[in-house]
Amino acid sequence: MNFYLKLFLSLAFFLSVHADISVEEEYGSGRYVIEGRVFPLSDYQTGNLNNWQATTRVHVNGGEFIGFVKKDGSFAIHNIPSGSYVIEVLHSEYTFEPVRVEINSKGKFRARKVNNIQTSLINQVPYPLKIKALGKTRYFQIREQWRATDLLFNPMIMMMLLPVLLIMVLPRLMNDPETKKDLEQIQKMTKFEVPQVSEVVSNFLASNTVQSPAKDSNKKGQKPRKRPVTKE
Amino acid sequence: MANFRSIYKVQVFLTILIHLTLALYEDQVGKFDWKRSFVGKVKYVSLEARRIIVATEENVLASLSMNTGDIQWRQLLEDPNDYQIELLQVDKEILTVSGSHNTWLVRTWEINSGTLLSEWPLNTDQNIPSKFTVFEKKLYHIIPVTASHVEVTVYPLYDVNANQRKGILRKITAPWIKDSSECVVANSYFICLESNQLYFLNLLKDNADFQSRPLDSLLGSSLAKTVLIELNHDTPSVLLVQNNIAKLATIVENNISVKPFDLMPNAVKFKENEHIYQLEANDNRDKLIRVKAKDFQTGKDVFSVDLDYPIGLGAPIILGGQSIGLVTKLFLTTTDNALLLVHLPEGKILWTREEALSSIIATEFFELPISELDASIEHEFDGDSDIISMFTHRITTQINQLYSLLSGGQSRKNGVMVRDEFGLHKIIVVATRAGKLFAIDTLSGSIAWSYRLPNIQPFLSTDKKEEMLLLVQRTAKYYPLPAQCVLLAQDSITGLGVVFQFDPITGQSTKGIQRLNYKIVQAVLLPYPNKNLLKPFLVVSDTLEVHLFPKDSISQLKEHFSTTFLYIADPKRDSLNGYSLKYSTEDSLKLTPIWEVNFQPSNLVDVSAKPINEIVHSQGKVLYDRSVYYKYVNPNLLAVATVTPDPNHRSVVSVYLIDGVTGLILHSASHRRAKGPIHLVHSENWLVYTYFNDRFRRMEVSAVELYEGHLQSNSTVFSSFAVSQLPDIQTQSYILPAMPLKMTVTLTERGVTNKFLLIALTNGAVIEIPWLLLQPRFTGMPCGPEESCIPYMPEIPIHSETTINYNQTLSRISGIEVAPARLESTCHVLVHGLDIFYTRVAPSKTFDLLKEDFDYRLIVLVLVGSIVATFVTKRLAARKALKRAWKIFHKKDIDKKIEVMRICCIGIVK
């Protein structure tokens, strides 16, 4: 996630229009203006969003005061009494970092990064605000891509491949007399205790050797798949 | 917006979170969600070439398409409770003046895209309602100062540097003036009606004074109450309305005169047109409304057209219009806030918008009834039919069922809505502030039916919240009995109670609107259905009398008198009172007060009970030593939030958990230097609430969880009276890096699925946060995936992926409603406000449903492949066995031959 973010940041090519430094205005009623400028990602990143100004809003303290973005990306929020405010730039496609702006009773402005955990930590940012898009907002999970290994490790493919393996490879193994002997031994040792699958395998292997009729009846209740193999 | 820094911090836990948070896939957009956008009740309108610019009471400026009525763009200005648009002027660009009292903002907007062009504040010292008008590129601000004078300030609008914009103030003495409500602006004149004198002032002349004319000389009589209504015309003119008859007064060269003809009070005129339009009631039942155009000078009827007025809409008024050649378009709004565009001379309604939906007060989800086909099988034992006919009936219905199954779903057949297998298709009944009921189809978002209740309004609950009650008396489960729902509201004039019973599926009402002769303070649905399977409800009046609806269900209630308890939250006295029905008799229901909690001097802000239909699946939590810690699940528990003004700590937020039966306070917590907005979410054995921490200037969220302990007192029935010890309470607080507007929790059929909190934020997103992330951690308990516990994080991470409405920003969210689907994993969510958004969420993913990307083709392919492979290998194996058998036979044969030869050889040798 973070990696992607950095990638976006490094790729981001910002509009290099310089913000004209505006003078802090003071009104008779002790109300101030918060000013700043929004920088979207460059056009080749934004694609068809040529009208981003109309859909961008600036919220002060979650909508207590509202600012709108002009054509050049600048915004001014009027009638704000002194205090501490969180400025958020909202756009449905882009993420912007919120900024805290403090206006003291004398009308001095200070802007800093929002830090909810260490509230006293001051990480100052320039005022008038220059708010840049961090990147495109990711709302969606990405569907997993098709990969050959996925197909291979698909349980159903495994299910198909295993019998093939059993048919093709095991008869080869059986031709080796030593393994044959070993298997026979295993079979004798684990006549009744063996779990089903190994029994099936060993029965299949044993089918080429002598078979007692008793064992045959023992296997009747088992999976039919092995029957063509065991049938003599 | 999502806090990326916090994401970085919890990256370590992301792996755990991946199992908890789930985002949509991009291709799921619009598959089961829909959004409808609204603008609200229109205040000002201006018809342009291909668009209609509207300014509404929701403090919204929007552009609607002339042809379809769709929103082209919409700009939301400040909170409509504090600020209102007071002027809309459309020229080359749009000019709005919005604000309140003494702070105003003058903004200009681009007409095509709605981009802001300029903005400047307009502050005055006078905190009085005032009027604005624009004339010759100048903005006039008119403030009537009671019993003193009128202040007129003129501001130049264009070609001025914003910083040097200065108004020219002029004071005109007017000792008779009271307030602005008696005054109108007509063109360049400011006209007031005060104590039977008509005063008018020319705004354009710098030194003009008020001139007056007695009303008698204009109208003849001045006995009846006269009202001024403005009329848009080049000649300054107003309507003088007396006894519902309007007279047209015009000012020509500083002399006011009244035209000799009568008009309706709703008469309207608009620029570049010489006709006055008015609406009249029509006798024709198909065309209820008639538009009449009159000549401005003579008052003669020019033409009149009957409108194809849709049934169900309220009485219309004309807000604006436009004439191009012979074609005239009239923009109407109705008493139920609908918007219509009428095309004249045909009298055709081009489109209708139901703007009442922008202010939903109450909602309820309803399951649909079973289809007629499924229902017909129930008729088998209806009549006294013989065995054969019963048998044929059953067979035919079953064949029909099979046929409809094969022909692909019956849910949309014949346009009739029927229940689906998973309960995903529901109907949402909403009650709006305008007093109109709507039923909305969850699949398409279309309106199934609507019903207008004249003169009703919502109750005012704690913290000035508006409320209406929708009580579900009977669901659609009990075929052939129809579902029944009841709406409780109050009369908008008298404030007396209004009861409206209706079928939520069809919108039909058998009884109509019942107006009660008392005010409602509380209403509660009783869980004892009567013989018609109808749940009765109790209504408590303001004099604490109890009324039962329907009255005949007293026989069900009387057995439960001693176990029926009520509570009433009184926002005026900031108290919570508990009552019992214990001393009631069959003839008179009586409330006996049993407890009272008085919060004064605190302000009661919110009271929250648990959802009635919630089921707690798991009775306890398994601790790390594999012992069970039982949950304290008290269905009677109430959560109460209060805010106390405090001299030392500014304000203190307190939260209480109170047993609704006994009044026992189980838990209380207070947060100093904290303030609202407070949102409570109360579910199962826990409570989550948010508040603003003033000291650290951040939103915080606290979680409270209640446990009984290692022993469960009674596993079958809970009793509030059987208190042996207070529950063990765990609490924990977190930082929420966003501003919540509304908060709720998901609800599922059986409560097995994980709980997710749904939080609507001020930025227009609705996010989901797993309850596991907030659940208070046990001290000394190791935290890890095995315990399904996430290590404590002070700041709750908000990812953009958890936004359930993805990039569909929702404005001014006023509520989130949830309802369970029949599928355990799924929960219906309706977010309402200025937009309506419906979606489904699955907090534990859709574990009971195949994924939609499930590959049916692959499984069929594999299955067929396996079968083919089985047969092929069977054949191959058989062939191999045969070959081997032959081989052995041959070998034996050869052996035999050799043996024979050997014997022969031996014989020969011998």
Side-chain angles (χ1 to χ4, degrees):
Chain A
M1 185 79 210
N2 209 35
F3 166 71
Y4 278 114
L5 200 85
K6 277 182 186 152
L7 198 75
F8 263 123
L9 280 171
S10 60
L11 277 174
F13 171 72
F14 299 111
L15 292 173
S16 58
V17 188
H18 221 67
D20 38 352
I21 293 130
S22 45
V23 191
E24 293 155 14
E25 272 179 83
E26 198 178 327
Y27 283 85
S29 53
R31 290 182 172 253
Y32 305 95
V33 185
I34 295 177
E35 288 181 326
R37 201 181 180 105
V38 180
F39 295 91
L41 297 175
S42 73
D43 275 347
Y44 86 92
Q45 292 243 322
T46 52
N48 50 4
L49 278 166
N50 44 19
N51 190 25
W52 62 273
Q53 293 96 335
T55 48
T56 309
R57 295 159 65 77
V58 185
H59 271 198
V60 177
N61 276 2
E64 210 179 310
F65 301 95
I66 291 168
F68 297 92
V69 179
K70 288 186 198 165
K71 274 257 148 40
D72 60 352
S74 67
F75 64 89
I77 309 155
H78 295 91
N79 287 337
I80 295 184
S82 56
S84 173
Y85 303 95
V86 175
I87 317 287
E88 291 169 286
V89 176
L90 306 180
H91 190 274
S92 59
E93 294 296 335
Y94 299 99
T95 308
F96 295 89
E97 198 170 10
V99 182
R100 185 177 286 282
V101 171
E102 278 151 352
I103 311 168
N104 69 8
S105 51
K106 287 175 192 152
K108 264 261 181 256
F109 284 73
R110 186 173 70 173
R112 57 189 174 101
K113 285 190 173 175
V114 178
N115 191 332
N116 280 322
I117 297 173
Q118 290 168 288
T119 46
S120 54
L121 195 80
I122 294 166
N123 192 347
Q124 209 150 342
V125 293
Y127 183 88
L129 304 169
K130 290 193 184 90
I131 300 175
K132 288 165 186 151
L134 290 177
K136 254 194 138 155
T137 315
R138 265 185 55 192
Y139 291 109
F140 302 109
Q141 261 181 322
I142 296 159
R143 273 207 197 277
E144 275 176 33
Q145 296 293 306
W146 190 87
R147 269 171 305 196
T149 47
D150 279 359
L151 191 78
L152 216 70
F153 290 112
N154 190 322
M156 283 191 281
I157 300 295
M158 299 267 268
M159 197 177 85
M160 266 166 59
L161 284 181
L162 200 72
V164 172
L165 211 77
L166 286 175
I167 294 159
M168 307 302 278
V169 182
L170 282 176
R172 295 275 154 84
L173 270 175
M174 227 97 60
N175 290 343
D176 185 26
E178 259 177 60
T179 28
K180 219 190 232 173
K181 229 179 249 172
D182 283 353
L183 284 167
E184 254 170 64
Q185 247 173 357
I186 291 164
Q187 198 210 349
K188 267 176 202 162
M189 271 161 65
T190 57
K191 208 166 193 176
F192 293 104
E193 287 85 10
V194 277
Q196 245 184 357
V197 181
S198 62
E199 196 186 18
V200 171
V201 174
S202 55
N203 281 341
F204 164 71
L205 296 172
S207 64
N208 289 322
T209 58
V210 197
Q211 271 180 350
S212 65
K215 213 185 264 172
D216 230 34
S217 64
N218 200 19
K219 281 177 286 175
K220 279 244 161 89
Q222 286 166 0
K223 285 179 188 168
R225 198 197 301 158
K226 65 172 195 256
R227 284 183 66 187
V229 187
T230 49
K231 213 157 65 180
E232 271 295 274
Chain B
M1 276 293 132
N3 195 326
F4 279 83
R5 198 164 31 74
S6 56
I7 293 171
Y8 169 73
K9 277 180 189 148
V10 296
Q11 214 171 22
V12 189
F13 308 114
L14 216 69
T15 39
I16 308 168
L17 283 176
I18 267 171
H19 299 288
L20 295 167
T21 57
L22 24 118
L24 281 170
Y25 294 112
E26 197 155 3
D27 48 59
Q28 286 177 313
V29 165
K31 262 191 179 163
F32 45 80
D33 56 36
W34 47 260
K35 180 189 170 191
R36 300 282 173 274
S37 292
F38 299 94
V39 294
K41 186 181 178 183
V42 173
K43 216 170 158 184
Y44 304 107
V45 66
S46 175
L47 275 77
E48 299 306 312
R50 283 191 313 278
R51 64 185 78 229
I52 300 168
I53 308 292
V54 291
T56 72
E57 288 190 357
E58 295 289 331
N59 213 7
V60 166
L61 178 74
S63 164
L64 306 178
S65 156
M66 184 74 96
N67 296 328
T68 58
D70 295 335
I71 297 172
Q72 289 171 329
W73 53 262
R74 187 180 69 176
Q75 290 288 15
L76 285 89
L77 313 186
E78 288 81 0
D79 185 0
N81 295 323
D82 302 329
Y83 303 94
Q84 278 291 321
I85 295 182
E86 290 298 335
L87 179 82
L88 172 76
Q89 182 84 28
V90 185
D91 205 358
K92 279 194 199 78
E93 52 199 49
I94 302 162
L95 175 89
T96 59
V97 178
S98 67
S100 70
H101 306 305
N102 58 352
T103 56
W104 304 91
L105 288 167
V106 183
R107 290 175 170 132
T108 53
W109 311 86
E110 206 212 13
I111 201 159
N112 285 317
S113 63
T115 316
L116 184 79
L117 294 173
S118 71
E119 173 181 321
W120 50 277
L122 197 157
N123 297 315
T124 57
D125 303 331
Q126 305 282 1
N127 198 351
I128 305 169
S130 50
K131 300 241 175 227
F132 290 93
T133 186
V134 171
F135 209 80
E136 290 175 348
K137 293 186 176 177
K138 279 178 187 146
L139 178 72
Y140 290 79
H141 184 200
I142 308 151
I143 313 167
V145 183
T146 310
S148 170
H149 60 275
V150 173
E151 284 182 9
V152 179
T153 322
V154 189
Y155 299 92
L157 276 179
Y158 305 106
D159 317 318
V160 188
N161 187 343
N163 296 331
Q164 292 151 5
R165 201 186 303 265
K166 282 277 179 297
I168 304 154
L169 179 76
R170 186 155 66 98
K171 287 182 184 175
I172 301 118
T173 47
W176 41 266
I177 204 152
K178 281 195 187 118
D179 61 74
S180 66
S181 64
E182 301 286 322
C183 300
V184 294
V185 177
N187 210 302
S188 61
Y189 277 83
F190 183 63
I191 305 167
C192 288
L193 183 73
E194 205 64 62
S195 53
N196 287 327
Q197 287 276 338
L198 201 66
Y199 297 92
F200 54 99
L201 170 77
N202 193 344
L203 296 168
L204 296 181
K205 283 189 183 166
D206 286 342
N207 46 8
D209 267 333
F210 272 106
Q211 298 191 321
S212 72
R213 277 287 294 276
L215 208 57
D216 319 22
S217 66
L218 293 169
L219 291 176
S221 80
S222 58
L223 293 167
K225 176 143 176 60
T226 317
V227 181
L228 274 181
I229 293 173
E230 53 189 288
L231 197 77
N232 190 349
H233 193 256
D234 292 339
T235 334
S237 43
V238 282
L239 289 177
L240 295 165
V241 182
Q242 214 173 31
N243 296 332
N244 222 13
I245 296 165
K247 290 272 186 188
L248 183 66
T250 51
I251 302 171
V252 185
E253 287 169 358
N254 266 342
N255 190 22
I256 197 157
S257 62
V258 170
K259 300 261 178 193
F261 50 88
D262 288 350
L263 290 169
M264 298 273 284
N266 62 17
V268 160
K269 215 200 136 290
F270 31 84
K271 49 189 173 182
E272 84 267 335
N273 191 314
E274 270 308 304
H275 300 319
I276 297 171
Y277 291 90
Q278 62 183 38
L279 300 173
E280 288 171 15
N282 198 357
D283 300 332
N284 188 342
R285 287 208 57 180
D286 298 329
K287 298 185 169 189
L288 287 164
I289 304 291
R290 171 179 291 162
V291 179
K292 216 171 229 179
K294 285 175 182 260
D295 189 82
F296 180 76
Q297 300 299 339
T298 59
K300 280 190 183 124
D301 287 4
V302 182
F303 61 88
S304 84
V305 180
D306 293 350
L307 295 186
D308 288 319
Y309 197 67
I311 298 162
L313 290 181
I317 48 166
I318 304 173
L319 272 184
Q322 183 195 47
S323 289
I324 300 166
L326 285 172
V327 176
T328 301
K329 278 171 181 154
L330 293 181
F331 185 76
L332 312 185
T333 184
T334 66
T335 48
D336 52 348
N337 300 355
L339 304 177
L340 295 103
L341 190 71
V342 179
H343 189 269
L344 294 180
E346 291 95 336
K348 204 167 71 186
I349 309 277
L350 291 177
W351 47 260
T352 313
R353 286 182 68 86
E354 291 280 7
E355 290 300 333
L357 283 169
S358 66
S359 54
I360 292 175
I361 306 286
T363 52
E364 194 61 62
F365 287 75
F366 287 93
E367 198 134 295
L368 291 162
I370 48 171
S371 69
E372 241 166 70
L373 194 62
D374 292 337
S376 65
I377 211 155
E378 307 270 331
H379 293 303
E380 193 178 321
F381 304 102
D382 279 1
D384 40 19
S385 45
D386 57 310
I387 288 175
I388 296 165
S389 67
M390 277 162 78
F391 179 72
T392 48
H393 180 259
R394 165 161 290 202
I395 293 300
T396 46
T397 46
Q398 282 177 341
I399 286 170
N400 279 334
Q401 273 176 337
L402 186 74
Y403 175 73
S404 72
L405 188 79
L406 292 176
S407 62
Q410 43 172 282
S411 60
R412 288 304 187 82
K413 220 173 185 180
N414 308 333
V416 182
M417 290 190 290
V418 289
R419 193 185 298 188
D420 64 336
E421 220 169 320
F422 298 138
L424 298 176
H425 190 189
K426 285 202 173 195
I427 219 164
I428 312 170
V429 173
V430 298
T432 61
R433 190 189 292 140
K436 199 167 185 180
L437 286 169
F438 291 93
I440 306 168
D441 185 349
T442 57
L443 287 189
S444 60
S446 57
I447 295 167
W449 57 262
S450 66
Y451 195 100
R452 187 174 57 87
L453 294 107
N455 297 332
I456 70 156
Q457 67 175 35
F459 305 110
L460 273 183
S461 145
T462 50
D463 206 25
K464 288 174 186 155
K465 267 199 290 281
E466 288 178 314
E467 250 179 74
M468 284 189 189
L469 287 176
L470 276 173
L471 304 176
V472 188
Q473 289 193 284
R474 186 168 56 206
T475 59
K477 248 187 260 178
Y478 309 104
Y479 183 85
L481 294 167
Q484 192 171 317
C485 180
V486 67
L487 173 83
L488 295 171
Q490 63 178 351
D491 194 283
S492 55
I493 301 152
T494 57
L496 301 176
V498 173
V499 174
F500 177 64
Q501 272 177 358
F502 60 97
D503 177 353
I505 310 301
T506 59
Q508 274 151 1
S509 173
T510 46
K511 283 185 182 167
I513 303 164
Q514 284 172 272
R515 292 193 189 259
L516 309 175
N517 52 7
Y518 47 85
K519 289 184 182 178
I520 299 173
V521 284
Q522 176 70 297
V524 62
L525 195 72
L526 297 170
Y528 322 115
N530 67 7
K531 59 181 186 299
N532 290 329
L533 299 162
L534 207 64
K535 283 181 189 164
F537 62 96
L538 286 176
V539 172
V540 184
S541 75
D542 54 343
T543 52
L544 292 185
E545 285 167 51
V546 190
H547 304 266
L548 183 68
F549 291 84
K551 285 205 170 58
D552 56 357
S553 48
I554 190 80
S555 50
Q556 275 83 34
L557 180 61
K558 73 177 177 201
E559 296 154 27
H560 304 284
F561 276 153
S562 61
T563 53
T564 305
F565 298 90
L566 293 177
Y567 75 92
I568 296 172
D570 190 342
K572 283 194 200 101
R573 296 194 298 121
D574 295 308
S575 68
L576 202 63
N577 298 61
Y579 297 93
S580 159
L581 280 180
K582 199 171 181 180
Y583 298 103
S584 304
T585 56
E586 227 172 290
D587 305 319
S588 75
L589 291 168
K590 204 175 137 198
L591 281 186
T592 315
I594 45 174
W595 57 267
E596 175 172 3
V597 182
N598 198 330
F599 296 102
Q600 268 172 349
S602 311
N603 300 317
L604 187 64
V605 180
D606 202 359
V607 181
S608 158
K610 289 179 195 176
I612 328 161
N613 49 352
E614 183 180 72
I615 294 168
V616 182
H617 176 75
S618 135
Q619 290 297 308
K621 184 185 168 77
V622 181
L623 299 185
Y624 61 99
D625 58 358
R626 300 292 167 259
S627 62
V628 176
Y629 210 50
Y630 287 100
K631 290 177 181 172
Y632 178 81
V633 185
N634 182 350
N636 308 321
L637 205 60
L638 300 172
V640 181
T642 66
V643 176
T644 325
D646 191 287
N648 297 329
H649 310 295
R650 284 188 222 169
S651 80
V652 177
V653 167
S654 306
V655 171
Y656 304 87
L657 283 172
I658 299 173
D659 190 294
V661 171
T662 58
L664 175 73
I665 300 179
L666 289 162
H667 171 71
S668 73
S670 53
H671 303 269
R672 285 180 209 147
R673 286 190 75 176
K675 61 179 182 183
I678 299 166
H679 304 285
L680 296 174
V681 171
H682 194 190
S683 171
E684 292 194 338
N685 65 328
W686 50 266
L687 170 78
V688 170
Y689 56 95
T690 62
Y691 53 91
F692 186 78
N693 187 328
D694 226 1
R695 192 170 156 215
F696 296 116
R697 292 188 300 244
R698 63 192 182 197
M699 279 318 284
E700 291 185 355
V701 53
S702 284
V704 181
E705 201 172 21
L706 295 92
Y707 287 99
E708 272 192 13
H710 286 292
L711 285 173
Q712 201 172 18
S713 56
N714 192 338
S715 59
T716 48
V717 191
F718 183 88
S719 170
S720 285
F721 291 107
V723 183
S724 54
Q725 64 181 81
L726 285 174
D728 174 27
I729 290 161
Q730 312 256 350
T731 58
Q732 205 141 47
S733 290
Y734 310 82
I735 302 163
L736 190 68
M739 296 281 271
L741 268 179
K742 287 285 166 209
M743 196 159 77
T744 193
V745 66
T746 57
L747 195 64
T748 51
E749 180 96 338
R750 301 260 158 241
V752 180
T753 312
N754 284 339
K755 291 269 182 187
F756 267 34
L757 286 168
L758 299 173
I759 307 178
L761 306 177
T762 48
N763 63 15
V766 180
I767 54 159
E768 45 184 12
I769 293 179
W771 155 242
L772 266 182
L773 211 61
L774 295 169
Q775 193 170 28
R777 278 52 160 192
F778 280 69
T779 42
M781 184 167 149
C783 218
E786 202 188 339
E787 269 77 29
S788 69
C789 162
I790 303 151
Y792 177 76
M793 285 173 276
E795 188 171 351
I796 291 170
I798 294 179
H799 307 220
S800 53
E801 283 104 325
T802 59
T803 313
I804 60 168
N805 55 330
Y806 46 102
N807 64 0
Q808 308 242 48
T809 308
L810 303 177
S811 317
R812 302 231 177 97
I813 296 165
S814 60
I816 313 172
E817 310 295 333
V818 291
R822 283 230 297 282
L823 213 56
E824 167 56 32
S825 66
T826 311
C827 173
H828 296 272
V829 179
L830 180 82
V831 186
H832 56 84
L834 205 52
D835 300 299
I836 299 180
F837 180 75
Y838 163 85
T839 190
R840 297 199 289 258
V841 291
S844 301
K845 297 193 175 176
T846 46
F847 56 82
D848 45 7
L849 201 65
L850 277 181
K851 271 190 220 157
E852 56 186 43
D853 58 347
F854 183 79
D855 208 337
Y856 291 92
R857 262 180 305 177
L858 187 70
I859 196 166
V860 168
L861 211 79
V862 167
L863 209 67
V864 170
S866 303
I867 291 166
V868 169
T870 317
F871 280 103
V872 170
T873 44
K874 191 179 165 185
R875 263 195 84 102
L876 283 174
R879 213 154 79 190
K880 200 175 174 186
L882 188 69
K883 250 184 201 162
R884 199 175 294 140
W886 270 114
K887 223 184 235 169
I888 293 162
F889 176 75
H890 278 301
K891 207 177 167 190
K892 277 183 187 163
D893 210 30
I894 289 162
D895 284 353
K896 231 181 228 167
K897 279 178 184 166
I898 291 168
E899 190 71 14
V900 171
M901 275 170 74
R902 214 172 65 193
I903 294 162
C904 290
C905 287
I906 292 163
I908 290 162
V909 170
K910 274 179 182 172

